[in-house]
């Protein structure tokens, strides 16, 4: 048992990034859950708080949005037209100790009648600011 | 004069990242020039060589493309329909010593008659692999 534990610890030390990556992925998924929970109840301020102060959002069909307050206004307007957002993380790539790139898929439903499902894919650059992971760059598009 | 030079060097040392950032931005712009030169003459292999082996391309209107050989096939097909690509770097954010996030705008012309101009914005995660900057994640969308 002790030998197994030693081997496990040695393995972790040798692999180095693997446990950190798993932890970062779990953290990002937890933050995505917070993102969708906030968005789906129309709480744009809580969505915007998940971004860095100087974040960039690049939405399809609209100009780039810079900075947390503009991002809040953007998501407030979007939440009037869409809801039921779901985010699925496909890949997290660490970029040093304070940055990571996430790729995932998103589905949303329009609030029109009948509701339409929108599905797309996204890339997010996360940055660790003051010990907390925040969305720094957020861009997406649709497959069709 | 000597005092000015000392002050300049001290300033650079204090700011630290500024000269590195300017250098990275210049390198990225030079690589973007190589990207557009290769794409505009239909050299998909040269375009693909600018990406990391395991890069991700997330095009609007299509599924995600993974890995250099799939990326080459993607750009080969795209170059049959489009050309005259121009890339303009708007912002480069360093993410540690071996990664950076670029945001920019792109214009292209379709090869249909009459040609249509397509304009969009993009985010690229660059990674330094073996001392060379390569595109690791490439995603874009259009403003309209």
């Amino acid at each position: 048992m002790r030998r197994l534990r030693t081997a496990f610890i040695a393995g972790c030390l040798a692999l180095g990034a693997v446990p950190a990556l798993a932890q970062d992925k779990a953290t990002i998924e937890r933050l995505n859950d917070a993102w969708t929970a906030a968005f789906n109840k129309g709480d744009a301020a809580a969505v915007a708080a998940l971004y860095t102060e100087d974040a960039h959002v690049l939405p399809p069909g609209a100009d780039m949005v810079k900075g947390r307050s503009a991002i809040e206004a953007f998501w407030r307007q979007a939440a009037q037209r869409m809801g039921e957002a779901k985010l699925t993380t496909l890949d997290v790539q660490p970029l040093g100790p304070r940055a990571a790139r996430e790729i995932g898929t998103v589905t949303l439903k329009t609030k029109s009648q009948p509701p339409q499902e929108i599905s797309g894919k996204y890339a997010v650059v996360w940055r660790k600011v003051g010990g907390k992971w925040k969305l720094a760059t957020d861009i997406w598009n649709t497959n069709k």
Side-chain angles (χ1 to χ4, degrees), chain A:
Chain A
M1 187 59 203
R2 191 168 162 201
R3 196 184 290 177
L4 265 178
R5 201 191 303 158
T6 308
F8 176 76
I9 293 167
C12 285
L13 290 172
L15 294 170
V18 175
L21 171 59
Q23 200 186 339
D24 289 347
K25 192 181 179 212
T27 303
I28 284 170
E29 287 178 327
R30 190 176 52 72
L31 289 168
N32 282 342
D33 288 344
W35 195 105
T36 50
F39 180 76
N40 292 341
K41 65 180 178 188
D43 187 351
V47 174
L50 297 167
Y51 289 78
T52 62
E53 270 293 348
D54 60 350
H56 293 76
V57 171
L58 289 81
D63 288 331
M64 181 162 70
V65 182
K66 278 194 261 186
R68 198 182 278 161
S69 67
I71 288 169
E72 180 176 336
F74 172 80
W75 287 122
R76 176 164 293 119
Q77 200 170 27
Q80 290 168 3
R81 295 179 287 111
M82 287 176 288
E84 296 185 48
K86 282 178 201 166
L87 300 169
T88 306
T89 301
L90 297 180
D91 189 62
V92 173
Q93 184 171 62
L95 303 168
R98 282 184 293 278
R101 185 277 293 135
E102 179 201 3
I103 287 174
T105 56
V106 55
T107 62
L108 293 151
K109 278 190 187 155
T110 62
K111 292 183 175 174
S112 56
Q113 282 303 328
Q116 285 191 306
E117 186 160 303
I118 300 168
S119 66
K121 56 196 178 303
Y122 65 85
V124 169
V125 174
W126 292 84
R127 300 186 73 194
K128 214 172 195 171
V129 181
K132 289 187 179 175
W133 286 104
K134 302 267 183 188
L135 295 98
T137 306
D138 184 8
I139 176 169
W140 65 98
N141 58 43
T142 54
N143 290 3
K144 288 176 190 177

